[in-house]
Amino acid sequence: MKAIILENAGGTENLKLREIDKPTIKEDEVLIEVKPMSINPIDVKTRSGKGAFQKLKDENPVILGWDISGTVIETHSSKFKLNDEVFGMINFPGHGKGYAQFVAASESHIALKPKNISFEEAAATNLAALTALQAIEKAEVKEGQNVLIHAASSGVGHFAVQIAKYLGASVAGTSSAKNKEFVLGFGADQHIDYTNFEWENSDEKFDFILDTIGGENINNSIKVLKVSGTIISIPSGLNDGLEEKAASVNANGFKMLVQSNGNDMKKLAELLEKGFIKPHIYKAYHFDEMSNAHEELEKGRTVGKIVVNF
Ligand SMILES: NC(=O)c1ccc[n+]([C@@H]2O[C@H](COP(=O)([O-])OP(=O)(O)OC[C@H]3O[C@@H](n4cnc5c(N)ncnc54)[C@H](OP(=O)(O)O)[C@@H]3O)[C@@H](O)[C@H]2O)c1
């Protein structure tokens, strides 16, 4: 089968297209013929030697990628049968081996793809959407609450806006001015341009803040966090001291790492099927163009998601 191997940590020249053996599946696993996949900043970080690289570097070969959608072509699972159309974030934060024509997946990491959703849309609604869902559930966001989503035009952010709105929260989202209409178009009640907003002068306070940026963005967020409110921060390595900073204003701060979870995938499938969430596909690349896809994502200006097709 075709796969993209990470030969060494570094630039995109280390992503090599190779022919390797198909994976074999164990008890409770299925073999999926991948249609599209989607990529995330963790792929780029891991490729360059950060992210999950330390954990994966002794595997041979290292195959990046976690977000896939496709068709079950072999099954050792009682939950999924041949030809089922499925999607999921496979084995995160472990070795997902997603940049491949065929992927072995645990039945506990996938869900059936809704019939009214394309494979591309399903591939796009994986790691980023699960992160948004798991953060919002951890914070117990409720109807009527005031929520702030940072980088509301990002992969994680655009799902978080939609899920918080679905739950009945009032949502503000940050981005630069060029993405204002996008953020409002995906349901945010209010847009904040982070390039010129004066956080210290804001009267508005939030019950829940999702920090997708880290560093100074956490300090700014603490200024608008309600007493007993919650801030969850997801960019690892950029959120040291979060808990203490939140405690200084009598609020709660948590770092979070998304986890593969088939039950959460089922929740996303239902939200997709009923039209409560939808992914925005910013750009689509061919599998042979994975390096270009990485270079685009690395610019940090993606609006929604980047997908990669076979
Ligand atoms: N811990 C976890 O489990 C977990 C899970 C998923 C992601 N993450 C991390 O979370 C971060 C976001 O991931 P992602 O996939 O959502 O990123 P992404 O899609 O690559 O983010 C790009 C978007 O961020 C916006 N942006 C950039 N700087 C901003 C700022 N200072 N304030 C507000 N918006 C800004 C950009 O809008 P403009 O062009 O308008 O600036 C752009 O639309 C990454 O560091 C990723 O590794 C962690």
Side-chain angles (χ1 to χ4, degrees), residues 21 154 205 210-211 218 260 274:
D21 290 341
S154 71
K205 300 263 182 194
L210 179 61
D211 166 53
I218 293 176
S260 289
K274 295 187 172 157

Side-chain angles (χ1 to χ4, degrees), residues 287-306:
F287 195 58
D288 299 343
E289 304 170 311
M290 186 62 86
S291 295
N292 304 85
H294 267 232
E295 283 155 15
E296 182 63 44
L297 186 65
E298 214 162 358
K299 292 178 191 164
R301 301 274 78 87
T302 302
V303 176
K305 292 290 305 169
I306 292 177

Side-chain angles (χ1 to χ4, degrees), residues 45-84:
K45 292 175 190 177
T46 304
R47 189 206 74 222
S48 66
K50 294 177 275 187
F53 186 74
Q54 280 310 313
K55 207 171 183 177
L56 301 185
K57 69 179 186 346
D58 297 327
E59 302 262 340
N60 187 19
V62 175
I63 303 177
L64 296 178
W66 289 271
D67 288 0
I68 60 159
S69 69
T71 305
V72 172
I73 59 153
E74 202 183 320
T75 178
H76 289 178
S77 158
S78 54
K79 294 187 183 158
F80 296 94
K81 56 184 193 316
L82 280 185
N83 299 320
D84 275 351

Side-chain angles (χ1 to χ4, degrees), residues 2-307:
K2 282 185 176 167
I4 292 174
I5 306 298
L6 179 67
E7 276 197 339
N8 291 300
T12 52
E13 69 282 0
N14 292 292
L15 295 169
K16 304 282 190 194
L17 185 60
R18 293 277 187 264
E19 277 292 330
I20 62 167
D21 290 341
K22 257 195 224 174
T24 52
I25 54 171
K26 302 195 277 282
E27 186 69 21
D28 299 330
E29 287 188 343
V30 296
L31 188 65
I32 299 170
E33 180 172 8
V34 178
K35 308 280 189 199
M37 57 196 71
S38 78
I39 63 170
N40 295 286
I42 185 70
D43 302 31
V44 168
K45 292 175 190 177
T46 304
R47 189 206 74 222
S48 66
K50 294 177 275 187
F53 186 74
Q54 280 310 313
K55 207 171 183 177
L56 301 185
K57 69 179 186 346
D58 297 327
E59 302 262 340
N60 187 19
V62 175
I63 303 177
L64 296 178
W66 289 271
D67 288 0
I68 60 159
S69 69
T71 305
V72 172
I73 59 153
E74 202 183 320
T75 178
H76 289 178
S77 158
S78 54
K79 294 187 183 158
F80 296 94
K81 56 184 193 316
L82 280 185
N83 299 320
D84 275 351
E85 296 180 345
V86 295
F87 68 131
M89 177 184 80
I90 310 306
N91 203 24
F92 191 86
H95 199 180
K97 305 183 189 178
Y99 293 179
Q101 214 171 350
F102 301 97
V103 168
S106 163
E107 63 179 16
S108 64
H109 293 171
I110 58 175
L112 289 174
K113 175 183 84 61
K115 291 269 180 280
N116 58 335
I117 297 300
S118 70
F119 279 108
E120 267 199 352
E121 290 171 314
T125 312
N126 271 311
L127 186 147
L130 277 174
T131 306
L133 179 77
Q134 290 176 6
I136 284 171
E137 287 193 342
K138 185 171 173 64
E140 299 180 0
V141 170
K142 292 179 194 59
E143 187 171 359
Q145 285 190 330
N146 215 15
V147 163
L148 174 62
I149 306 296
H150 284 292
S153 52
S154 71
V156 175
H158 85 304
F159 285 117
V161 168
Q162 296 177 80
I163 296 170
K165 280 305 293 176
Y166 164 72
L167 292 172
S170 174
V171 180
T174 68
S175 76
S176 66
K178 71 178 187 306
N179 290 322
K180 177 178 176 179
E181 292 314 317
F182 176 87
V183 170
L184 295 175
F186 268 81
D189 302 282
Q190 185 193 342
H191 175 260
I192 294 174
D193 179 352
Y194 68 86
T195 64
N196 60 22
F197 192 70
E198 293 178 0
W199 298 95
E200 47 287 333
N201 296 334
S202 170
D203 291 332
E204 195 174 3
K205 300 263 182 194
F206 295 92
D207 298 283
F208 170 58
I209 301 178
L210 179 61
D211 166 53
T212 51
I213 305 295
E216 193 53 30
N217 197 58
I218 293 176
N219 301 335
N220 289 334
S221 298
I222 297 293
K223 294 173 187 156
V224 293
L225 186 57
K226 278 188 190 172
V227 169
S228 300
T230 299
I231 178 167
I232 292 184
S233 177
I234 58 170
S236 55
L238 298 172
N239 46 23
D240 289 344
L242 173 80
E243 295 85 349
E244 295 76 8
K245 286 177 184 174
S248 73
V249 294
N250 293 316
N252 308 299
F254 303 107
K255 296 170 191 163
M256 198 200 88
L257 185 62
V258 64
Q259 304 289 324
S260 289
N261 185 321
N263 289 331
D264 286 347
M265 289 307 302
K266 270 195 210 161
K267 293 181 197 171
L268 292 175
E270 200 178 325
L271 292 173
L272 280 168
E273 185 168 25
K274 295 187 172 157
F276 291 120
I277 61 168
K278 62 176 180 187
H280 176 74
I281 295 171
Y282 175 64
K283 284 188 181 169
Y285 291 84
H286 188 264
F287 195 58
D288 299 343
E289 304 170 311
M290 186 62 86
S291 295
N292 304 85
H294 267 232
E295 283 155 15
E296 182 63 44
L297 186 65
E298 214 162 358
K299 292 178 191 164
R301 301 274 78 87
T302 302
V303 176
K305 292 290 305 169
I306 292 177
V307 296

